[in-house]
Structures are given as structure tokens and as C-alpha cells.
Amino acid sequence: MVVALPHAIRDDLDAYKTALAQYDRAAKHLSDVDDGVLMFMKYPRREFTVNFPVRRDNGTMEMFTGYRVHHNTALGPTKGGLRFSLGVTLDEVRALAMWMTWKCALVNIPYGGAKGGVVVDPRTLSQRELENLTRRYATELVPLISPQMDIPAPDMGTNPQVMAWIMDTYSMTVGYSVPAIVTGKPIGIGGSHGRTQATGRGVIVIMEAALAKHNLTNPADIRIAIQGFGNVGSNAALYAEELGYKVVAVSDVEGGIYNPNGLDIKGVINHMHNTGTAVGYLDAEPVGNSALLELPCDVLIPAALEGQITEKNAEEIQAKFIIEGANGPTTPEADDILNERGVFIVPDILANAGGVIVSYFEWVQDLQAFFWDETEVFNRLVRIMGDAFERTYATATDKQVDMRTAAQITAIKRVADVITTRGFYP
Ligand code: NAD
């Protein structure tokens, strides 16, 4: 039996529309950048689509579609995650690749932006099927990736094990071990200490910087709600709890849980390991994913999907701070409403940059075959994120713009300067 492509092609192009609208807003403040350079940076440099078969455990052949987009390569090799999700589309990957370009430029690491994905719900595959799908997709990517060209990492639906299979597949293809081909690997094969926790912890580092600017320095007074309890959401929750903040709500794809007095995060994680979801945790009441966004809290951390905060719910959000763990969770229309209401939004390209920063550390360690301990990784991460926050805050104050526009201005200007210095080929 043969199963055709599970076409999850959506007719909404929201993420890419959002990325382009944000770019246009920032570009208005870059009158010193040549129009040709501004136009060039809007386009993805390369786009790759592949359709490939995987044999299911029951003998059926099933077709899958995968993508990889290299947005801009001016600063160095491209860097960006791989997403395994039914929501993956070429437009979503384009948006995520573009955001990676700005994120790397903003935090001053020598990478361009990329992203990839496969249209699949990984939870519907056995471990063997997941390995075969990953290895086949990785083989298809071989002409596009290398430690000098493009270095994938985990994103939604992928994890260190998936990275290990990609590292092994690439290494078997070239005939020797190439740890620097991916980041977010298990430590035993060249992964970095602190990579798994990096994005979530970085979100909290940035949240603390934002709160401090508003003289909010007592963690026990701050209530946090987190949408998405995967790598980013759960590590943010754990670190926030460790620092004494009150995490009052978390959610995953099945739904959410709420306890106004604060959840016991380790308890929720145990429950999730046993049942596969945070839902059903006893010491909390159930709450839907969209209702979670509107709960009474001080800080809202979206850490799941794009397009969650829109003009439909922006008025209802009670949090005074939004720290974007997810990529692209807020639409430009919602930005306008929230900025008007005085909500302080730290944009994705700053707030969740901890992942790519420690990925950069992992790549550097792999290339040097010289490894650092967790304290060194974390101290360097905090320094880079703190500097990026201060620079962005200063630009926002100086230009009288919101933090997202300030971050985009800084990042786009850096890439534009590099393009201008390098000149146009031929
Ligand atoms: P993950 O797969 O580990 O977790 C995703 C979480 O979101 C899970 O809890 C899942 O159940 C939940 N979810 C999925 N669909 C949902 C829906 N429709 N409604 C509510 N929740 C839903 O992924 P992750 O790596 O934690 O990534 C989450 C977000 O953070 C993504 O936007 C990703 O691009 C971004 N991000 C991740 C990293 C990283 O290092 N992993 C770095 C930067 C940004």
C-alpha cells in the first residue's frame, strides 16, 4: 500500500507576512541604508523542497515533504533549527529563516539565518520510523549543509536524539565523524553543556533584565504564565522557579493548568513524563491554551507556536510583560494594540537567542575539539544576552521605538553594513 503526501498546506501565510511587515517597519528607520541592499535582504537566498518516502512499520510506504531555507549568508554559515510538525510550510520556514538572520546579527554571532522542517507529527511515528525519516531527510540535505555552510539544530518536534541521527548520517556519507555539522547534540558526541537549557534559561535572563528596568526586583511578587511546555517552556519554568518566581500556568498542545499560588514545576514535569502532558496535574485547575494567554499574571511567555497573540486577543492580555520564547508569537496588529497599552514586549530575536548563542558555543567547541564546563557556557551566555538587551533598550530609547523595532533596526543594519563592505558579486 502507498500513502500519498499528507498535504498540510495551509492557505494562511501569517508567519511570513508577519516577518515581512516587521522588516518593513524597521527599514523605515534605516534611511542611511541603500534601497538595493534593503530589497536584497528581504529575499531568502536559497529554498529547498524535497519529497521522500519512508517505510512505516506495517510495510506501507508513505511520502513526506521537507524544506530547508537559507535566508542570508553575508555574516557566515547559516544556522537554524529543524522543525517536525504538521504545521510546517515553505512560508513558515521562510519566516523562521529570516528571523534567524536577524537574531544572529543582533547578538553578534557570525552566522546567517536558516530554518528547515518536515511536514509530520513525530508523535505518530515509532522510534524506528522517526530515525528513518530523519536519516532520509538528512541525506537529502547533504548538498546544502556542512560546518562551513549550514548547521542545523533542534526546534519544535526535534531533540538531541534527532540531531545525533543527523550527525551520524552526515558522518557516514563523508566517511569520518563531523560533530560540528549540527548543534543541540547529546554531550557524548560533541554536544555542549547547557545547550538543552539555553533557550529557556536565556528567556528568563532577559525577563529579569526587562523587570529590572521597571524596578521589579522581587521574584516572589512576579506571576508568570507560559504557553508551551517543551524544551523552551519547561526550561524557562524550571529556571524561573529556581530563582523564586511564581509560575502560575503552563500548557502544551493538549491544554493547560493554572494555580494562582504557583505550580510545583518539578512535579508538573514528573507528571508530564508519566502521562505525556501537563494536563491532569492534580494541584491545579485546567485552562485552555488561548485562555492561558489572558490569565491574571505579570509576565506572559509564549513558548509554542507563531501567531498566538493577535488583534483578536491583544486587548484581553493582562500581563504587563511579554517575553517571546517562541518565534513569531505576536502579529504586527497585536504589537500595535499592546504597545499602545504600554505592555513591554521583548521580541523573539532577543528573548529566545540563548539557543543559538549556545549552539554557536557548541560549534566553536566542536571545531576546536576543546570543551567548556557548564559554568563557562552559562556565564558567556548571560554576558552576550545582557549586552544585547542593553543595546536594544538603548536603541529603543534613543529612537523612541518599541523593543521589536529597535532589535530589528540593530540587526538589519549590521547585515546591511556587512553586505555593503563585501560588495555585490560579480
Ligand atoms: P518543543 O517541541 O520542545 O515544544 C513545543 C511545545 O509547544 C510543546 O509543549 C507542545 O505540546 C506545545 N504545542 C505545540 N502545538 C501547540 C499548540 N497548538 N498550542 C499550544 N501548545 C502547543 O519545541 P521548542 O523547542 O520548545 O520550541 C518552542 C518554540 O520556541 C518554537 O516557536 C521554536 O521555534 C522556539 N525556539 C526554540 C528554540 C530551541 O532551542 N529549542 C530556540 C529558539 C526558539
Side-chain angles (χ1 to χ4, degrees):
M1 191 184 142
V2 171
V3 178
L5 287 173
H7 269 297
I9 293 174
R10 305 177 307 194
D11 52 9
D12 63 306
L13 308 177
D14 287 346
Y16 196 39
K17 258 194 220 153
T18 295
L20 291 173
Q22 291 169 350
Y23 180 85
D24 289 340
R25 284 179 178 203
K28 283 197 196 110
H29 298 267
L30 291 166
S31 52
D32 53 336
V33 177
D34 182 84
D35 283 347
V37 174
L38 282 176
M39 182 182 66
F40 173 46
M41 288 185 296
K42 259 179 118 154
Y43 288 87
R45 174 162 176 190
R46 301 187 185 97
E47 302 183 337
F48 173 76
T49 302
V50 61
N51 301 306
F52 60 91
V54 175
R55 193 179 295 283
R56 303 294 300 257
D57 290 345
N58 65 7
T60 311
M61 288 296 281
E62 195 165 322
M63 290 299 293
F64 292 88
T65 300
Y67 305 103
R68 185 80 183 162
V69 171
H70 297 172
H71 173 256
N72 189 288
T73 57
L75 264 64
T78 48
K79 189 88 190 78
L82 293 177
R83 186 172 278 197
F84 287 178
S85 154
L86 276 182
V88 167
T89 65
L90 182 54
D91 267 307
E92 182 186 66
V93 178
R94 281 177 177 142
L96 292 163
M98 191 179 197
W99 284 321
M100 285 307 297
T101 300
W102 312 140
K103 193 180 301 181
C104 295
L106 178 66
V107 297
N108 237 333
I109 56 178
Y111 288 138
K115 206 80 179 192
V118 177
V119 187
V120 61
D121 180 352
R123 295 173 307 167
T124 62
L125 302 181
S126 69
Q127 191 75 347
R128 195 198 65 82
E129 291 168 341
L130 184 63
E131 177 171 354
N132 286 357
L133 175 135
T134 303
R135 286 185 181 277
R136 177 62 189 249
Y137 173 60
T139 307
E140 301 285 357
L141 285 186
V142 165
L144 286 184
I145 59 174
S146 84
Q148 287 74 38
M149 187 184 187
D150 178 28
I151 308 117
D155 193 79
M156 251 174 76
T158 59
N159 58 26
Q161 177 60 69
V162 170
M163 296 304 117
W165 290 326
I166 296 174
M167 181 272 193
D168 185 69
T169 303
Y170 186 85
S171 300
M172 294 309 289
T173 307
V174 297
Y176 51 91
S177 290
V178 188
I181 186 63
V182 282
T183 58
K185 300 176 291 293
I187 292 189
I189 60 166
S192 176
H193 286 289
R195 172 60 186 91
T196 304
Q197 302 83 359
T199 312
R201 282 183 151 233
V203 166
I204 299 304
V205 168
I206 290 290
M207 177 193 81
E208 291 215 288
L211 292 171
K213 290 285 179 211
H214 296 80
N215 300 319
L216 295 166
T217 51
N218 184 9
D221 293 341
I222 307 291
R223 298 157 304 163
I224 307 174
I226 304 180
Q227 186 198 47
F229 202 60
N231 173 279
V232 179
S234 66
N235 281 297
L238 268 177
Y239 190 43
E241 179 180 65
E242 200 180 310
L243 295 174
Y245 292 93
K246 223 186 265 178
V247 180
V248 294
V250 300
S251 70
D252 57 37
V253 67
E254 310 285 338
I257 52 173
Y258 173 52
N259 182 338
N261 300 315
L263 296 160
D264 165 16
I265 298 301
K266 289 197 190 75
V268 178
I269 288 176
N270 270 342
H271 174 80
M272 196 178 67
H273 284 156
N274 294 335
T275 65
T277 171
V279 174
Y281 180 67
L282 280 182
D283 193 21
E285 54 188 270
V287 62
N289 253 306
S290 50
L292 176 139
L293 301 170
E294 300 167 13
L295 285 173
C297 64
D298 304 289
V299 178
L300 175 62
I301 301 180
L305 298 172
E306 312 76 271
Q308 297 300 294
I309 303 173
T310 67
E311 77 272 26
K312 296 201 180 91
N313 59 4
E315 289 288 2
E316 315 310 325
I317 285 172
Q318 300 190 48
K320 283 277 166 258
F321 294 82
I322 298 178
I323 314 291
E324 295 184 341
N327 287 306
T330 313
T331 64
E333 298 77 21
D335 265 338
D336 288 341
I337 297 168
L338 292 160
N339 287 331
E340 184 66 30
R341 291 184 44 216
V343 176
F344 189 84
I345 306 174
V346 183
D348 44 11
I349 61 170
L350 174 57
N352 70 32
V356 76
I357 293 169
V358 176
S359 274
Y360 166 60
F361 296 162
E362 181 173 331
W363 178 76
V364 168
Q365 292 171 78
D366 288 337
L367 293 178
Q368 299 183 340
F370 179 71
F371 293 89
W372 314 342
D373 64 24
E374 187 161 356
T375 309
E376 177 158 12
V377 169
F378 189 58
N379 289 345
R380 285 178 187 265
L381 168 71
V382 170
R383 195 161 64 235
I384 293 181
M385 295 205 76
D387 287 351
F389 180 88
E390 290 303 332
R391 271 186 280 121
T392 308
Y393 192 80
T395 305
T397 311
D398 181 42
K399 295 199 180 293
Q400 291 292 298
V401 293
D402 57 89
M403 288 288 281
R404 188 186 314 285
T405 307
Q408 294 246 342
I409 291 172
T410 311
I412 295 170
K413 177 79 169 94
R414 174 150 193 253
V415 179
D417 286 348
V418 170
I419 292 171
T420 308
T421 307
R422 286 178 57 160
F424 285 94
Y425 178 86

